[in-house]
Amino acid sequence: IKAPTPEQIREWNERVVQITAQVEQEFLAQQQQSDAPTNQISSSSLPQQPPTKKRRRNNNHNEPKNATTTTKNDNYIPAGYDRNGNQTSSYQDSLPIFLKFASDGD
């Protein structure tokens, strides 16, 4: 792989400056059309994404620490039971017989 020549670097730098100027011009034109302050980007101009679990979780951090909300976990699964409410066996009991004996050190 060859390093770029000084001429290629100069051409690339000029292109970056052109693209930057174009983006700035488009941004200013959009701001003038919307009559919004030029130092802020309106949220309507940003692409909207559906909230992910992490975003929903982080939105709860805005609540005050002394909020008096009660939470109830309806999806609580007690130890020793699966999601259907059936009693589960231990991991060691679920192993094939030869691995079960090997796990005991025999």
Side-chain angles (χ1 to χ4, degrees):
I1 299 175
K2 292 183 181 179
T5 65
E7 179 65 24
Q8 290 172 325
I9 292 173
R10 186 186 61 73
E11 289 173 0
W12 177 257
N13 289 340
E14 287 176 3
R15 181 70 180 134
V16 169
V17 169
Q18 289 173 355
I19 293 171
T20 304
Q22 180 183 357
V23 168
E24 287 176 354
Q25 288 174 355
E26 290 175 3
F27 175 75
L28 291 175
Q30 182 182 18
Q31 289 299 316
Q32 288 174 353
Q33 288 175 355
S34 67
D35 293 327
T38 56
N39 61 351
Q40 295 179 354
I41 299 175
S42 65
S43 61
S44 62
S45 65
L46 298 175
Q48 297 296 320
Q49 297 177 349
T52 61
K53 287 182 182 178
K54 187 173 185 178
R55 282 196 203 112
R56 282 188 293 248
R57 221 179 13 247
N58 288 339
N59 287 342
N60 294 337
H61 293 293
N62 296 333
E63 295 178 4
K65 298 283 185 203
N66 59 357
T68 58
T69 58
T70 58
T71 59
K72 181 181 177 186
N73 188 355
D74 294 332
N75 298 327
Y76 175 73
I77 302 171
Y81 293 89
D82 63 11
R83 293 173 189 250
N84 297 325
N86 300 326
Q87 194 165 12
T88 59
S89 59
S90 71
Y91 173 73
Q92 191 173 12
D93 291 340
S94 69
L95 294 173
I97 192 80
F98 63 94
L99 290 178
K100 186 176 179 180
F101 286 117
S103 69
D104 289 334
D106 296 336

